[in-house]
Amino acid sequence: MAGIRRVNGKLSGINPAVSCSRLRRVQALLCDGGPSAPEGLLCSLGIDSRYNEGCSELAKFLFYGLYGRNQLNLEHVLEEFPDETLDDVILLIKAQCVHLYCNPMNYSYLLPYVSHWRNLHLYCMTEAEYEDEEAAEEFKISSFVTMVQDCYRIGVPYSSQGHVQRFDVFMVEKWPLIQAFALEGIGGGSFFTMKYKLMDMSEKLWKVYNRLDPVSLENLLTEDLVNFEKQWTGFFSSMDLESHLSILELSEAQAGEAFRTYYSHGLISSNITDKSKSQQPFVLFGKHSSSEDLEAYSFNFPSESHQVRNTGLEGSAARHMILQCVAPKGPLACSRTYFFGTTHSPYLGNPNTAQKNTDVLLLSQIYSAAVQAVLSGIKCYSFTSSATKAQDVAENTFLVLLDSMDLSQYRSSLRSKCEFGIQAVNMEGRIIPLTDGDSRYVVKTASMTVRDIPDLRGGRGALGSVVFSESFLESGINIQQKDGTVSSDSCYTILTTSVPRYACWLMESDFKQSEQAQHLAKNEEGTCVGRALTAADAAYVISSSLLSAPEEGKIVFLSEGLLFIHPQHGSITLSKDHISSIKFYDPQDCGGVASLLVEYDSGLLPHLPFPLRSAERCLLFALQPRSKSHRAFYSKVLSVWKKSDSGLNLQMVEEKHLSWNQKNMHTRLQKLHDSQEPPVAKRRGSLKTSYCQLPEQDMFLQHFALSSIGGEPILYDHLQVLFTSAELKEPVNSHGDKVVITIITGLPGSHKKRLCDFLVQLNKEHGRWLVYRPGPDPRGGFSASDLQQYMSGLLESPRGLGPKPRLLVLSPGYTDVLEVVQAVLLHPDPVVQACFAIGAVTACVDPLASCVEHRFALPKLLEQCSQGMVSAVVFTGGPGEQKNPLVQHVQQLVRSANPTAAFILAEGGAVTRNEDVNLIFSESSFGEPQMLRARYVLYPGWCKGRFSGGCGCLVLSQQRVAFSRPLERLLFVPGCKALKSSLRPSPYRGNVYNVWGKLQFSDSEQLMEVSYNTLSGSLCVVPDRGPDPVTPGASCFLVFDGVGLTEDGLKDWLRLCAKQKQKKKPKNTKNSLSPQDIRSIHRARHLEPLPPGYFYNGHQYVDIFGEKLSFHPYMEEFIQEYLAEANKEVELFNRQLELQGQPDLFDP
C-alpha cells in the first residue's frame, strides 16, 4: 500500500492515500448536494475564526496528527513558533480544487498532507516577504478575497460532534477574518454575509468523519483498543486478587468497577445521551443475570448485595457471571461469560472417573455454542452484508451445536431464548442503521444472548443467562475477472479477539483437587504418571478450540506423562494411558519456540478443562528457547520418553509433518514469544495477545486499505502484487513484441521537447523510434482520441511497426499525466490496446518556470509528477540554480508529491549519465509493485478510466497565431523580455507565460525555432530542423500560453515586433504650425511690398497712425500660401504611399 512513511524528516504516520481519500469525501458533499449545495467549504483556524470548534474538527480530519489529540512529535514545533502561527491556516475546498493559505512557518508541516491533493492553489509568502507583518496581513486578506471570488454559496463546519451549536450567520460575521473582508482597498469592500450565502455543513461532515479508513483504523487499534483492553486488564487484576475463599464475598459492584469507571468518566465530556441499554457496561452474577435483570439493569446503580455466594440456585454460590465492557466515546464493545469453578477433575489414577455433570459444564457448553454461533454470524454477514442471513446462520449454528454436545433436550427451550443481532456503531459510539450506506465503513458488534437457561436436570429454576459479543470490521473489494465479470472478495477482522473468551476461577473444591494432583510431582514413589523428571518450569499451552488462547503455566515432565499447572483451571495431568502420541517440533533457531504436541484419546476429556478440548484432540505445549524447561527436556526427558517401555509414542518431526491447525497454534505461540509482552497468565499487568500481533492482521489491513478508498474494481491480474507481505523483486519484462511507450510530460518551458529530441538522437541506433507530438489546442488541453487514433494508425501503416519499435509520447503543456496514461491503457479497440504497453513515465520540471507567484505553482505541475505514475523527474534548470530558494522550494514540493521518484539533473534537457537514460527508457518501472499499489490507493478507478483529475482554479489557454512576414530581431527580443515586467497579479488576466513557435527574422532567410518562458526569462532561438508537425509548409507561427489571451491582443503585440509601417502624413493647418515655422515664413517674406500707409523701420511695421506690428501686414496671406505649397507635398507623398502599398504582418 502507499503506507505510513516519514516526510521531510519531521512527521511520520502521514498516508497520502488517506489524505486524498478524505479530501475526496469532503468534496463529494459539494458534488452530490444538487443545485443547492455550497460551491465551497470554508475552514479557518485559530483566532481568525474565534477558535471555532467545527473548523478545528475539519482540520483534525484532514491534517490528522498535526492538529488535535494525536499530534506527532510536535514539541519541537511549538518551540519554533507559537500555536497561533501553526493555526494560521485558511482552507477553501471546492468540488475540483482546493485553496490553501498558510505561512512559511507551518508550510513544511502542512505540505506532506496537501502535496498529493489535486489542483491545489497555494497562497504562501516566502520567508523574506513574511517578515513584513503588515504586508503579511494584507496578503492573507487578499488571498481570502481571491479564494471566494467565484463562489456564492459557502459552507461552514460550524459545530463539532462533541459540542453542537445553533448555526448563527451573525456569529460567523464576527470572525476576524470575515470582518477583514469588508476592508476597503485590500478586502472585498462589503459585508461578507451580504455578498455570500453561508450554510452549515456540520452534520454532513460528521458522517464523513465517522467513516473508517486506514489512519482512523490505526488510531482505533493503537489507542482506543489498547485503552479498551486496559479495562479488561484491570478487571482481571482485581479478580485475580481474590482467593478461592474470598471470591465468595465479591459483589457485582466490586467486579464491575473498572468497566463502570471507564464508561462514566468517558461520558463526562460527551453530549451523547441516546445510548441503548445493550450499549452500557454490566456485570451480573448467576441467576441474577435473568432476562428481567438485564432489562432493568443500570450501570449507575450497581448492586452491592448480589455476591458470588448468594446468586446461585436456591441461594447457593453462583456458577457464572456475564459482563460487558463498552467504550464511552467509540465503537468498541464486547461481552463475555466467565465461570466460578472448573469443568474437570485432575486424573489421579482412577480409570473410571466420569465427567463432572455440573452447572458449570452445562453453561460452558451453551456458552461455547453461542461463541461459535456469533463467529459464524460474523462470517456470514461479512460475505453477504445481510443481517437476516447472518441471524439465520447464527441461530442454526447454535442449535446444531447443542445437538452435537448431547444437549438436545435444551434445543426446544432455548430456541426462543437465543437472540442474535448485529449493530453498526460509528466512531462516536452512536448506533446507526445497517441499511445506512455509511455503515459499511464502521465497526459493528455481533452478539448472542441466551436468556433464562432452565435447569432441566435438577428442576431448580433458571440458571441465568449467557452472553457473548465481539466488535468486528469487514472489508470488501470488487475484482474484475479476465472475462470482464466483476466478483466481490470479502474478509473481516475481530477487533476484540484479544479479550479472553473463556475464564474461570477456582472454588474451594477445585482448589483441593488441584493440590492433590500437584502432590504427584512431589511423590518420590511411582504414581499414575510415573516419577518426576524435572521441576516445574514455565511453558505455554494452547488448543485449537475457539475458546482457547495462549496461556502460561508451569510444566512438570514425568516418566509416564506430564503435569501442567494452569493459572485458572488448576492442575492438568496427562498420563500415558490417555496419550495417543507425542510430536516434538523444534525449529532449532535462536528465537524459535519448541512445540510439544500431545494427541489424546476420549478418556482424557473428563480430566481436561472445557476450553482446551478440541475436535482435533491435540494440546500444544510450547517451551521457550534457552529456558530451563527447554534444556531439561533435552537433558532429562528425551532419553526416558524415547525408550520403548515408556509407553509414550514420541516422534521428532519437522514443520511439514504438522497439520494446518498445529501450524497455526505454533505460529500464535511464536508471535506471542516474539512480542516480548507479559504472558496471558500474567494479564494482571496486560492482556497478552494484543490485536497488532494477530497473524491475520497484515492481510486484513492490506485488504481494508483498498476497500476503504472506494468501490472501484481491481483487475484480477494485479491481485498478487497488491496482496503481498513482502516486496516483490522487479518483474522481468514481459512485454514481448508490444510497442513500449515512454511518456514525457512537463509544463511549457520545461524543456521537455529538447529532452525528447535529445533522447531520440541519442538512441536512434538502438531501434526504431516513433514520436507523438500533439498539436496546439486552443483550450491547452489533451485529446485522448487524437492519441488513440495515432496508435491505431501505427498498426495500420503499410510499412508496419518493424522490429522492436519504441514510442515516445510527448504530452501537451498543462495536462494531467493520468489522462495520458488512461488514454493509452483504455484504447477503445482491444486489439490495438493489446499491442501497446507503458514502460515508464518521466516528468520534466524547470523550477524557475513553475510558479506563478510566491509559492503558487502553475496548473498540473504536481499532477505531472504524480506518485505511482511518474518514476523519474528531470530537473532541466542550470546547475548554478540549485541554491536558488525557488528551486529548493519546487524540489521540496515535488519530492513531497512523489517520494519514490528518482531525481535527474539535466540542464536544458541534456541527460548526461547512462543510468539516467536507462531509467527514463525503462520498460518495467511503470509496472513495479510499489507503483501499482500507489495507483490503486491514490487514484481509485484509474484502471477503468473512471478517475478524473478535475480542473484547477487557474485556467491557462493556448493561442496559435500565424503570420507570413519576417520579424525584426531587435524588436522581438526586447518585446519578449518586456512580457515579464507586464505580468499582473491575481486574477492574472492577460498574462503570457510561454511563447513557442517558428519564424523568420528580417536579417536572415532561415526559419528559426524560438521559445521564451516569461517566468524564467529563458529565450532560445535556434535554426529549425524540421517542418511544423501540425501544418507542414505553413507560414510562421507562434503559440502563446497564458490566461485570458485574445487573438487581437497578441496580433497587436506581434505587429510591434515587425518592421513598422509608414503612415500617411496629415495635412498641415495653421494650428499645426509651430512658432518656429511662423518665424521662418516671416523671415523669408518680411521685405515683401507693404500696403499703402505702412513703412518698415527695420524692426517693426508702422502705419500712418503710429501703431506698430511685429509681423508683415500680409502675414496671413503668406501663411496660407505656405500651407498650400506644403500640403501639395503631403498629397504627393500620400499618393505615392498608396501606390506602393504596405502589407500587414497578417496579410496572406
Side-chain angles (χ1 to χ4, degrees):
M1 303 303 98
I4 303 300
R5 59 188 176 91
R6 179 168 295 277
V7 180
N8 298 331
K10 292 185 177 181
L11 299 179
S12 61
I14 300 173
N15 188 325
V18 173
S19 297
C20 295
S21 175
R22 290 186 173 187
L23 175 65
R24 286 195 299 269
R25 300 207 304 266
V26 173
Q27 289 176 320
L29 299 178
L30 307 177
C31 301
D32 303 338
S36 62
E39 296 153 314
L41 181 64
L42 176 64
C43 175
S44 177
L45 301 184
I47 188 63
D48 288 329
S49 63
R50 301 180 71 176
Y51 301 98
N52 178 265
E53 293 182 0
C55 290
S56 298
E57 189 174 35
L58 178 58
K60 293 173 187 176
F61 178 70
L62 294 175
F63 308 121
Y64 50 90
L66 189 58
Y67 298 98
R69 64 174 184 167
N70 299 325
Q71 291 189 347
L72 301 172
N73 302 321
L74 292 185
E75 294 80 2
H76 63 287
V77 178
L78 302 179
E79 293 175 2
E80 293 178 14
F81 45 82
D83 286 347
E84 54 265 26
T85 305
L86 187 64
D87 290 341
D88 187 21
V89 174
I90 305 172
L91 192 66
L92 183 72
I93 301 173
K94 296 184 179 180
Q96 294 190 356
C97 62
V98 181
H99 296 257
L100 173 67
Y101 161 82
C102 61
N103 60 57
M105 305 298 119
N106 59 18
Y107 165 77
S108 60
Y109 295 94
L110 292 167
L111 180 60
Y113 298 93
V114 303
S115 57
H116 286 76
W117 289 1
R118 317 297 287 186
N119 307 312
L120 174 67
H121 188 153
L122 185 65
Y123 304 81
C124 182
M125 304 178 85
T126 63
E127 286 81 354
E129 294 169 334
Y130 192 69
E131 291 178 359
D132 186 338
E133 294 185 7
E134 184 176 347
E137 283 300 315
E138 290 184 1
F139 177 76
K140 178 195 291 188
I141 298 169
S142 63
S143 299
F144 174 58
V145 173
T146 303
M147 287 181 189
V148 299
Q149 63 185 359
D150 296 330
C151 299
Y152 170 67
R153 296 180 301 276
I154 296 179
V156 178
Y158 191 71
S159 299
S160 66
Q161 293 185 83
H163 186 202
V164 181
Q165 304 177 70
R166 185 177 64 86
F167 182 62
D168 188 344
V169 173
F170 297 105
M171 290 301 295
V172 177
E173 186 68 63
K174 292 181 180 180
W175 291 2
L177 178 68
I178 301 299
Q179 290 182 331
F181 180 85
L183 293 176
E184 293 289 341
I186 57 174
S190 64
F191 288 108
F192 188 83
T193 52
M194 293 178 64
K195 189 173 182 179
Y196 299 99
K197 180 181 179 180
L198 296 182
M199 308 168 66
D200 186 14
M201 297 290 290
S202 302
E203 292 191 12
K204 292 182 178 180
L205 284 168
W206 294 345
K207 292 184 178 181
V208 174
Y209 302 156
N210 280 306
R211 174 172 165 167
L212 276 174
D213 56 36
V215 168
S216 55
L217 176 58
E218 183 188 17
N219 292 335
L220 180 69
L221 299 179
T222 58
E223 296 182 23
D224 297 347
L225 182 57
V226 170
N227 196 26
F228 183 81
E229 290 175 349
K230 284 181 180 178
Q231 313 314 312
W232 287 93
T233 298
F235 165 77
F236 283 113
S237 297
S238 63
M239 290 296 295
D240 289 348
L241 292 175
E242 305 292 339
S243 68
H244 61 281
L245 296 175
S246 64
I247 198 170
L248 293 172
E249 309 300 325
L250 185 68
S251 69
E252 293 176 349
Q254 291 173 308
E257 177 65 24
F259 298 159
R260 192 168 58 253
T261 303
Y262 167 57
Y263 186 76
S264 58
H265 285 189
L267 289 182
I268 292 176
S269 60
S270 174
N271 66 339
I272 300 174
T273 58
D274 61 348
K275 289 280 185 178
S276 65
K277 290 185 178 180
S278 61
Q279 285 295 110
Q280 65 174 340
F282 59 75
V283 175
L284 296 171
F285 291 165
K287 66 177 183 180
H288 189 237
S289 60
S290 65
S291 177
E292 182 181 347
D293 296 319
L294 280 170
E295 293 293 333
Y297 182 82
S298 172
F299 78 95
N300 289 313
F301 304 101
S303 174
E304 293 283 357
S305 60
H306 290 91
Q307 300 174 312
V308 175
R309 68 161 56 252
N310 60 19
T311 48
L313 293 176
E314 299 178 344
S316 61
R319 298 303 181 200
H320 77 296
M321 63 191 301
I322 62 172
L323 58 165
Q324 177 169 271
C325 181
V326 178
K329 293 172 64 178
L332 297 175
C334 75
S335 55
R336 297 287 187 264
T337 300
Y338 292 154
F339 301 93
F340 300 111
T342 65
T343 58
H344 77 293
S345 300
Y347 178 67
L348 300 176
N350 184 357
N352 298 320
T353 305
Q355 169 69 60
K356 279 186 177 180
N357 192 15
T358 63
D359 296 336
V360 175
L361 177 60
L362 172 63
L363 293 169
S364 295
Q365 291 173 316
I366 296 174
Y367 174 63
S368 174
V371 170
Q372 295 185 61
V374 169
L375 298 180
S376 62
I378 291 174
K379 183 176 181 179
C380 176
Y381 181 82
S382 299
F383 286 93
T384 64
S385 298
S386 170
T388 303
K389 291 181 179 178
Q391 181 178 0
D392 293 341
V393 168
E395 292 178 354
N396 183 63
T397 300
F398 176 75
L399 297 175
V400 169
L401 288 171
L402 290 181
D403 292 338
S404 68
M405 291 184 285
D406 297 327
L407 296 178
S408 301
Q409 68 271 32
Y410 284 90
R411 181 185 178 100
S412 58
S413 59
L414 296 183
R415 178 190 291 272
S416 60
K417 295 181 179 181
C418 67
E419 301 173 3
F420 175 83
I422 295 179
Q423 292 179 327
V425 188
N426 65 21
M427 295 299 289
E428 290 296 308
R430 292 178 182 266
I431 298 175
I432 62 175
L434 288 174
T435 54
D436 193 324
D438 297 323
S439 68
R440 177 183 175 188
Y441 301 103
V442 301
V443 174
K444 299 171 184 64
T445 302
S447 63
M448 175 168 278
T449 303
V450 185
R451 301 175 181 269
D452 303 327
I453 300 170
D455 178 24
L456 298 181
R457 295 167 179 168
R460 296 169 293 172
L463 297 170
S465 306
V466 299
V467 298
F468 177 76
S469 69
E470 297 275 29
S471 289
F472 71 98
L473 180 64
E474 82 272 20
S475 172
I477 60 175
N478 295 321
I479 300 173
Q480 181 169 317
Q481 305 295 331
K482 294 182 179 180
D483 60 359
T485 59
V486 177
S487 60
S488 62
D489 180 77
S490 302
C491 66
Y492 64 94
T493 185
I494 298 175
L495 301 172
T496 50
T497 189
S498 57
V499 177
R501 291 174 179 163
Y502 191 99
C504 67
W505 288 268
L506 298 178
M507 304 303 281
E508 185 174 4
S509 60
D510 305 313
F511 182 79
K512 291 179 179 179
Q513 286 186 339
S514 180
E515 287 289 313
Q516 290 178 8
Q518 292 178 35
H519 282 301
L520 296 176
K522 301 174 184 178
N523 196 337
E524 297 181 359
E525 300 178 0
T527 64
C528 60
V529 286
R531 56 185 175 82
L533 301 177
T534 65
D537 195 36
Y540 294 105
V541 67
I542 190 176
S543 79
S544 59
S545 167
L546 293 175
L547 299 180
S548 177
E551 303 273 2
E552 188 182 21
K554 300 287 185 180
I555 193 169
V556 179
F557 293 103
L558 299 108
S559 59
E560 298 180 9
L562 56 85
L563 168 68
F564 190 84
I565 305 171
H566 197 282
Q568 288 189 339
H569 302 292
S571 300
I572 306 169
T573 52
L574 284 80
S575 168
K576 66 178 182 180
D577 298 334
H578 301 132
I579 296 175
S580 303
S581 67
I582 301 179
K583 296 178 182 179
F584 186 68
Y585 166 60
D586 192 348
Q588 296 294 335
D589 55 38
C590 58
V593 172
S595 294
L596 190 70
L597 296 113
V598 180
E599 297 178 354
Y600 56 86
D601 57 31
S602 59
L604 183 64
L605 292 178
H607 312 293
L608 191 64
F610 184 79
L612 292 178
R613 303 175 190 178
S614 64
E616 198 176 39
R617 292 185 180 177
C618 179
L619 292 175
L620 187 150
F621 297 93
L623 310 179
Q624 298 184 61
R626 300 180 301 279
S627 64
K628 289 182 180 180
S629 57
H630 187 261
R631 293 194 300 269
F633 182 81
Y634 276 101
S635 61
K636 300 179 180 179
V637 181
L638 194 57
S639 58
V640 176
W641 282 12
K642 275 191 171 182
K643 292 180 180 179
S644 58
D645 58 353
S646 67
L648 298 169
N649 183 17
L650 176 63
Q651 305 172 48
M652 308 293 286
V653 298
E654 298 179 0
E655 184 178 11
K656 63 182 179 181
H657 297 124
L658 302 181
S659 67
W660 184 89
N661 275 334
Q662 291 170 347
K663 289 180 182 178
N664 187 47
M665 289 189 290
H666 176 81
T667 301
R668 291 181 66 184
L669 286 164
Q670 184 66 56
K671 279 184 169 284
L672 185 99
H673 171 74
D674 294 342
S675 66
Q676 298 179 349
E677 294 276 342
V680 173
K682 297 179 181 177
R683 54 180 159 239
R684 296 88 176 153
S686 169
L687 285 180
K688 177 58 200 91
T689 314
S690 64
Y691 177 85
C692 60
Q693 278 117 34
L694 297 180
E696 65 274 11
Q697 182 220 18
D698 290 343
M699 179 58 71
F700 176 81
L701 293 182
Q702 291 184 51
H703 199 283
F704 185 76
L706 286 171
S707 69
S708 62
I709 298 300
E712 294 294 340
I714 294 171
L715 298 184
Y716 177 82
D717 293 338
H718 295 161
L719 287 180
Q720 182 180 5
V721 176
L722 294 175
F723 294 105
T724 177
S725 57
E727 288 293 327
L728 298 178
K729 295 182 179 179
E730 183 174 330
V732 179
N733 176 32
S734 57
H735 296 321
D737 294 331
K738 290 185 178 182
V739 179
V740 178
I741 297 178
T742 298
I743 298 175
I744 306 291
T745 184
L747 299 177
S750 64
H751 307 289
K752 62 183 177 183
K753 183 179 181 299
R754 290 191 203 172
L755 174 65
C756 180
D757 295 340
F758 178 83
L759 294 173
V760 171
Q761 184 68 22
L762 188 67
N763 293 274
K764 62 182 180 181
E765 297 179 357
H766 299 286
R768 185 181 172 201
W769 285 92
L770 306 168
V771 181
Y772 169 77
R773 290 185 174 95
D777 188 325
R779 300 164 299 170
F782 167 70
S783 173
S785 60
D786 186 65
L787 173 59
Q788 291 167 349
Q789 289 174 8
Y790 179 85
M791 294 166 61
S792 299
L794 291 180
L795 297 183
E796 296 169 0
S797 172
R799 294 186 303 166
L801 291 174
K804 199 60 178 177
R806 295 291 298 266
L807 174 61
L808 268 174
V809 173
L810 204 61
S811 72
Y814 306 99
T815 301
D816 192 331
V817 67
L818 186 59
E819 295 181 37
V820 183
V821 169
Q822 291 184 144
V824 172
L825 297 179
L826 299 172
H827 194 287
D829 186 341
V831 176
V832 178
Q833 185 184 121
C835 293
F836 292 86
I838 298 176
V841 181
T842 300
C844 291
V845 176
D846 182 354
L848 297 183
S850 299
C851 291
V852 177
E853 61 177 351
H854 304 294
R855 298 179 193 246
F856 174 35
L858 282 166
K860 302 302 179 181
L861 170 67
L862 295 183
E863 285 78 1
Q864 291 184 354
C865 303
S866 297
Q867 183 179 358
M869 296 286 173
V870 175
S871 56
V873 179
V874 179
F875 288 95
T876 56
E881 301 171 356
Q882 294 305 308
K883 294 184 179 179
N884 187 309
L886 180 58
V887 174
Q888 294 175 351
H889 158 69
V890 173
Q891 288 182 346
Q892 179 194 23
L893 188 64
V894 173
R895 173 55 72 202
S896 182
N898 193 340
T900 61
F903 279 9
I904 299 173
L905 297 181
E907 182 177 3
V911 182
T912 57
R913 302 193 313 165
N914 289 334
E915 52 266 38
D916 293 338
V917 175
N918 294 335
L919 185 61
I920 295 172
F921 284 127
S922 170
E923 297 186 6
S924 59
S925 66
F926 185 78
E928 288 178 351
Q930 66 172 0
M931 300 280 283
L932 186 63
R933 294 175 200 159
R935 288 197 290 274
Y936 269 107
V937 296
L938 287 171
Y939 323 112
W942 70 275
C943 59
K944 302 301 294 178
R946 296 174 184 165
F947 185 87
S948 173
C951 60
C953 47
L954 181 62
V955 179
L956 276 79
S957 61
Q958 279 188 346
Q959 286 281 356
R960 187 178 191 272
V961 181
F963 51 97
S964 56
R965 305 291 175 180
L967 301 182
E968 297 295 320
R969 190 187 301 266
L970 295 180
L971 295 176
F972 178 76
V973 173
C976 287
K977 299 292 184 181
L979 290 175
K980 186 176 182 69
S981 60
S982 66
L983 292 177
R984 305 171 188 173
S986 179
Y988 314 109
R989 189 163 186 81
N991 287 356
V992 175
Y993 292 108
N994 197 78
V995 181
W996 173 82
K998 298 179 181 181
L999 52 80
Q1000 280 185 309
F1001 289 116
S1002 59
D1003 58 1
S1004 172
E1005 295 183 357
Q1006 187 173 11
L1007 191 65
M1008 309 296 287
E1009 181 177 338
V1010 299
S1011 61
Y1012 175 71
N1013 186 269
T1014 310
L1015 296 172
S1016 65
S1018 171
L1019 175 63
C1020 180
V1021 181
V1022 296
D1024 180 38
R1025 287 182 289 186
D1028 174 16
V1030 183
T1031 53
S1035 60
C1036 304
F1037 71 92
L1038 286 178
V1039 178
F1040 297 84
D1041 293 278
V1043 179
L1045 303 180
T1046 63
E1047 184 176 4
D1048 291 340
L1050 296 175
K1051 285 184 175 181
D1052 290 341
W1053 181 84
L1054 276 172
R1055 288 187 179 103
L1056 296 177
C1057 300
K1059 185 177 180 180
Q1060 300 303 298
K1061 293 171 57 177
Q1062 287 185 307
K1063 297 181 179 179
K1064 289 184 178 181
K1065 294 181 180 180
K1067 288 187 176 183
N1068 295 308
T1069 64
K1070 182 179 180 181
N1071 292 334
S1072 66
L1073 296 178
S1074 66
Q1076 181 66 31
D1077 293 333
I1078 294 176
R1079 283 194 294 270
S1080 297
I1081 297 172
H1082 178 262
R1083 195 164 44 248
R1085 305 190 64 174
H1086 72 284
L1087 296 179
E1088 290 286 329
L1090 294 171
Y1094 282 87
F1095 68 92
Y1096 180 58
N1097 62 11
H1099 295 286
Q1100 292 174 314
Y1101 300 89
V1102 184
D1103 64 7
I1104 59 174
F1105 300 107
E1107 294 184 4
K1108 299 177 181 178
L1109 299 174
S1110 297
F1111 290 102
H1112 195 288
Y1114 292 139
M1115 189 63 188
E1116 285 296 325
E1117 296 177 10
F1118 298 158
I1119 291 175
Q1120 293 301 322
E1121 291 174 1
Y1122 173 82
L1123 289 175
E1125 190 65 28
N1127 284 335
K1128 287 181 182 180
E1129 295 180 4
V1130 170
E1131 289 175 359
L1132 178 61
F1133 175 84
N1134 289 343
R1135 280 198 300 270
Q1136 291 177 346
L1137 200 63
E1138 289 176 356
L1139 292 174
Q1140 291 176 358
Q1142 292 191 92
D1144 185 71
L1145 180 65
F1146 302 100
D1147 288 343

